[in-house]
Amino acid sequence: MFTLAQARHLVATLRPRVDELIRLRADLAELRVDLADHGVSALGGLAEVKALEARLHVVVDEFHQHDIAVKGIAPVLLDFPGERDGRAVLWCWLEGDTDIRWYHRVECGFAGRRPV
C-alpha cells in the first residue's frame, strides 16, 4: 500500500523508466509499421523487434517489482494501491500528467476516477 506522498515520490523516481517505456513503445510501433509496409526499416528487422519487445517487458517488470500495476502502455497508465478514507483505492498516473492527480476506488476502475 502506498500513501499518496509515496506514490508521488515513486512516480518522480521512476520517471526515467517511464520515458524509456515511451521511447521503446514508439520505436517498436515505427519498426512494425515499416516492416509491414516496406519489409525494411532504418530501425532494423525482426531481431530488433524481438529485442525491443524484450526490453519493454523488462521495464514493465520493474514497475511490477515496485507493486505498481501497469494498466496500459499507450498511453502509459500506472496504478498504485493505497487507501483513502478507509477505502482501498488506486492512485492513478496517466502519461502526460506531471504528478498523481487522480484516484479511484478499486472496484470502480478508470471510469470512477476522481481528482485527489
Side-chain angles (χ1 to χ4, degrees):
M1 294 288 250
F2 295 93
T3 65
L4 178 56
Q6 290 169 329
R8 284 178 164 162
H9 176 75
L10 201 49
V11 163
T13 301
L14 294 173
R15 186 61 203 211
R17 297 274 93 33
V18 170
D19 293 342
E20 182 179 4
L21 182 62
I22 292 167
R23 183 188 56 76
L24 290 166
R25 175 192 74 200
D27 287 350
L28 186 57
E30 184 176 326
L31 179 55
R32 285 179 173 159
V33 167
D34 286 350
L35 293 177
D37 288 350
H38 310 292
V40 296
S41 174
L43 294 174
L46 185 57
E48 286 73 23
V49 168
K50 295 301 179 189
L52 286 169
E53 288 173 342
R55 184 65 193 139
L56 191 125
H57 287 292
V58 166
V59 174
V60 168
D61 286 344
E62 287 181 45
F63 289 110
H64 292 159
Q65 289 172 10
H66 289 281
D67 295 323
I68 300 167
V70 179
K71 297 297 181 109
I73 63 165
V76 178
L77 176 60
L78 306 176
D79 279 347
F80 301 75
E83 185 176 286
R84 182 179 171 117
D85 300 328
R87 287 198 142 134
V89 299
L90 295 170
W91 307 112
C92 281
W93 182 86
L94 181 62
E95 182 179 332
D97 290 347
T98 56
D99 195 4
I100 294 178
R101 297 182 179 161
W102 300 91
Y103 77 96
H104 61 81
R105 289 179 20 200
V106 172
E107 64 274 13
C108 294
F110 188 85
R113 286 180 12 132
R114 297 178 181 277
V116 170

